Amino acid sequence: MVLSVVLAAFVLILPVELPDKTLFATLVLATRFPPLPVFVGVGLAFGLQVAIAVTAGSLLSLLPEAVVSAVVAVLFLTGAVLLWRESRKGGEEDEATVQAREQTSFVRAAAISFGVLFAAEWGDLSQLATAGLAARYEEPLSVFVGAWAALLVISGLAAFLGRKLADRLPVALLHRVAAGLFLVFAVIAVVETIRTLTG
């Protein structure tokens, strides 16, 4: 393992992931489930995605960009609609959400978090950057360690910050904000799809 490559991967991936959709998805998950299983599920999803990017980065770049962005647009539009509907259910549902969160098993919460992040991370900038780093440095283990470490830092902050936000802010407000952001990401993905198809 080459420490300079680990550091390069960490320094590149950390700022790429900070304003990213997966950070916000983790924040939303942390409002629904305890932070530890969210962190474990998200961390495992990131680990698998980094491994895929490192070992098969060249294959990821062969996927048509329009297909990837269209799928992402549909996923985020669906997420926006679901979050908005959930935000309109009112205070009784907030209590039900809290109760459901307390009754959800560790394994189930981690599995849901894993599934959401694993799906959301496809074609992500950090995944593409990781694949590029692996090709450039020819040090797959070092790139894997650096990239995964950066993603674990981000997911840890989001999981534990998300839980604190849920304790201080109304869940309905968080869902409305999340729905708005998901809608923005969906529109961006639609624009990217159109640009790719017409460009």
Side-chain angles (χ1 to χ4, degrees):
M1 190 163 16
V2 180
L3 191 57
S4 62
V5 175
V6 172
L7 187 60
F10 183 88
V11 167
L12 178 69
I13 299 301
L14 191 72
V16 166
E17 199 65 26
L18 272 174
D20 195 68
K21 62 187 180 290
T22 49
L23 169 72
F24 203 79
T26 306
L27 283 168
V28 171
L29 285 165
T31 67
R32 302 190 59 81
F33 305 113
L36 188 57
V38 170
F39 176 70
V40 169
V42 168
L44 290 173
F46 277 141
L48 184 54
Q49 285 287 5
V50 170
I52 290 168
V54 166
T55 58
S58 60
L59 293 177
L60 291 174
S61 66
L62 296 176
L63 289 173
E65 187 181 335
V67 171
V68 173
S69 57
V71 169
V72 167
V74 169
L75 289 173
F76 277 106
L77 187 56
T78 303
V81 169
L82 293 174
L83 283 165
W84 187 259
R85 282 179 49 198
E86 205 166 306
S87 75
R88 300 186 62 155
K89 290 181 181 175
E92 291 178 18
E93 291 298 323
D94 287 344
E95 289 177 24
T97 301
V98 170
Q99 197 172 31
R101 180 173 59 215
E102 291 170 358
Q103 293 174 352
T104 303
S105 73
F106 183 97
V107 172
R108 181 168 164 71
I112 291 169
S113 300
F114 176 90
V116 168
L117 263 292
F118 186 76
E121 191 68 10
W122 281 107
D124 196 67
L125 280 176
S126 61
Q127 190 181 38
L128 297 175
T130 301
L133 286 169
R136 178 174 181 218
Y137 288 114
E138 296 180 2
E139 287 287 338
L141 181 61
S142 301
V143 171
F144 174 84
V145 169
W148 195 26
L151 294 170
L152 286 175
V153 167
I154 296 299
S155 60
L157 288 172
F160 293 97
L161 176 63
R163 183 72 174 110
K164 290 192 182 306
L165 281 175
D167 290 341
R168 288 184 171 77
L169 295 173
V171 174
L173 175 63
L174 290 175
H175 286 166
R176 285 187 191 116
V177 171
L181 287 172
F182 272 48
L183 183 60
V184 168
F185 286 127
V187 169
I188 290 169
V190 167
V191 169
E192 286 176 7
T193 303
I194 293 168
R195 187 182 43 118
T196 303
L197 291 173
T198 60

